[in-house]
Amino acid sequence: MSSRRLITPSERSKLDPFVIATGDASPRDQRDLMERPFFSLAKAKRTRPILYQAGDVRVEVYAVPEHGMATIWDADVLIWAASQIVEAKNLGLKTSRFLRFTPYQLLIAVGRQTGARDYKLLKGALTRLQATVIRTSIRQGEHWRRHQFSWINEWEECARRDGRVEGMEFVLPDWFYRGVIDRSLVLTIDPAYFSLTGGIERWLYRVARKHAGRQPTGWLFEIAHLHEKSGSLAKPADFAFDLRRIAARQPLPGYRLSIERRERRELLRILPGKSFTAPVDGAVNHLGTSGARAIGTSGVTVSGFRECKPQVTLWSDTTISRPNLESNSESNFCSGRAPPADNAASVDEPPTKHASQQFLPRPGHKAGGKQ
């Protein structure tokens, strides 16, 4: 009796493709990815898992030894995908988890070169995104559940016989897609983010954008707490040293950093920089702190996006509906106030403005050491 082989049909056969026509969209990031340790911060291969717990929120990230864990540079693919989906929805176009595009569109949008090496690196990033396994309780309702997925369910390249890649396709997981189509879970980011070369710098910018936003008073973090939130393999002392060097260089677009010491605690203050041009309504009355209840205490369809029209955005350039005090019970502490629920929904902020609106080429600098 001959045995039959069960062939599972591709998920793409059940989804309508979302074809990226121009790829012209302001970069946007998903809030959950901006403050949780979902990615390796080092360029070297990482196989050691990330295990993070804060209250009812748990994040587990596992890597396949052959490919290693998806890095924060690989996350540029997800930022690009989120940007395309949000822009299309804003224009009333149909979107899908199944994206069809050209590698050139993606590489240019995230500030990369378009040579043969860059196409090879892109394929390596897609491989790591598919191979990395995430388990998390974020956005799973009042009853604790754990959702397991990979950043990309499947991907494929369309190439000629000579090896030249003409197009690519990939399918995003439902968890990520639902977090993108929910407006309250997406924030615009500065295009200059893609020019940041260090893993900790990139992670720190996303934390700054999520927490400090455009609040005049900014946000205050315990460095020990930041180390825990980063998932970094660096020793706490080395991580703190890296933050001091970053604060000395001030590389984050739109934010100023300073180190403070209070009662033997080392803290990092993040303040919006002068590159913010739109006014801020309803300023925060108290100084936001992270990891401590008070300062000094410890805490451990085809998208033809546009012809010659100006950039369309989801948010008004003049108002903020309310302060950015949301969705992170272990980090969003305000003096004298109880923290909000971790899974609470929140309202978006206006986009970050920056002097340069062009995507910057990524320098060839490589950061050394563990991050």
Side-chain angles (χ1 to χ4, degrees):
M1 190 178 203
S2 61
S3 61
R4 292 187 176 181
R5 182 174 153 188
L6 182 61
I7 300 177
T8 303
S10 168
E11 191 174 9
R12 289 171 295 172
S13 63
K14 304 176 183 178
L15 298 170
D16 294 327
F18 170 37
V19 182
I20 310 301
T22 67
D24 186 9
S26 295
R28 295 171 171 96
D29 207 347
Q30 208 281 326
R31 284 178 180 262
D32 297 318
L33 274 60
M34 298 172 77
E35 61 180 339
R36 313 292 183 186
F38 280 110
F39 302 97
S40 170
L41 304 186
K43 292 182 179 178
K45 181 190 292 187
R46 172 172 177 168
T47 57
R48 181 175 168 182
I50 295 174
L51 304 175
Y52 173 80
Q53 177 108 32
D56 293 334
V57 172
R58 183 168 180 83
V59 173
E60 303 173 8
V61 186
Y62 298 94
V64 175
E66 180 182 358
H67 304 295
M69 185 180 294
T71 71
I72 199 163
W73 294 272
D74 299 337
D76 288 357
V77 174
L78 301 178
I79 293 175
W80 176 83
S83 306
Q84 304 305 317
I85 293 170
V86 172
E87 182 75 359
K89 280 184 62 64
N90 187 47
L91 296 175
L93 302 172
K94 184 178 179 181
T95 63
S96 169
R97 294 190 293 117
F98 174 18
L99 276 71
R100 181 176 292 163
F101 60 98
T102 65
Y104 179 86
Q105 293 171 325
L106 193 159
L107 291 171
I108 289 296
V110 299
R112 307 293 177 88
Q113 301 297 319
T114 56
R117 178 176 178 273
D118 299 280
Y119 282 81
K120 182 178 180 180
L121 291 175
L122 174 58
K123 289 188 283 187
L126 294 174
T127 299
R128 285 187 294 274
L129 289 167
Q130 184 182 18
T132 300
V133 175
I134 301 94
R135 296 175 186 168
T136 183
S137 59
I138 297 175
R139 287 191 275 119
Q140 295 305 307
E142 59 182 16
H143 301 293
W144 191 93
R145 291 185 298 166
R146 185 169 59 182
H147 196 85
Q148 179 169 315
F149 57 92
S150 294
W151 293 122
I152 289 179
N153 290 359
E154 57 176 294
W155 68 277
E156 185 175 287
E157 64 174 345
C158 305
R160 295 179 179 178
R161 290 185 178 181
D162 61 3
R164 182 176 179 180
V165 179
E166 292 186 321
M168 280 187 171
E169 301 173 348
F170 61 65
V171 178
L172 295 168
D174 184 64
W175 184 89
F176 177 77
Y177 182 71
R178 284 187 286 110
V180 169
I181 61 177
D182 184 343
R183 169 176 168 173
S184 68
L185 297 177
V186 178
L187 281 176
T188 56
I189 62 174
D190 198 308
Y193 164 81
F194 297 113
S195 68
L196 297 175
T197 58
I200 293 180
E201 290 176 3
R202 283 175 159 243
W203 173 80
L204 191 58
Y205 171 81
R206 299 171 87 182
V207 170
R209 180 69 185 96
K210 167 63 177 64
H211 290 288
R214 304 178 62 194
Q215 302 176 74
T217 52
W219 210 262
L220 195 64
F221 289 93
E222 281 196 36
I223 289 183
H225 183 63
L226 283 175
H227 178 260
E228 181 183 358
K229 283 172 63 69
S230 71
S232 172
L233 290 177
K235 296 178 180 178
D238 294 336
F239 182 84
F241 179 71
D242 286 337
L243 289 190
R244 293 186 208 110
R245 290 196 303 179
I246 292 172
R249 291 189 290 108
Q250 299 294 339
L252 303 190
Y255 294 96
R256 292 180 288 111
L257 309 174
S258 62
I259 301 294
E260 300 182 6
R261 292 175 176 83
R262 303 188 183 185
E263 298 182 6
R264 300 182 182 179
R265 304 292 177 184
E266 191 170 25
L267 304 103
L268 178 71
R269 185 190 295 274
I270 303 175
L271 290 169
K274 294 182 179 180
S275 60
F276 292 109
T277 58
V280 176
D281 295 336
V284 180
N285 294 324
H286 300 281
L287 176 65
T289 63
S290 179
R293 293 190 176 275
I295 296 175
T297 60
S298 64
V300 238
T301 311
V302 179
S303 59
F305 280 174
R306 62 174 52 74
E307 299 170 42
C308 297
K309 297 179 181 180
Q311 173 68 44
V312 180
T313 61
L314 285 172
W315 305 277
S316 167
D317 288 333
T318 59
T319 62
I320 295 179
S321 55
R322 66 180 178 85
N324 181 24
L325 302 172
E326 76 291 326
S327 72
N328 191 353
S329 60
E330 84 278 6
S331 289
N332 282 4
F333 283 94
C334 210
S335 300
R337 297 180 61 182
D342 195 282
N343 289 329
S346 57
V347 180
D348 260 315
E349 296 179 337
T352 301
K353 295 265 187 161
H354 192 268
S356 171
Q357 294 298 325
Q358 300 297 320
F359 291 104
L360 303 178
R362 176 182 167 191
H365 172 72
K366 292 186 177 180
K370 286 186 178 181
Q371 294 182 359

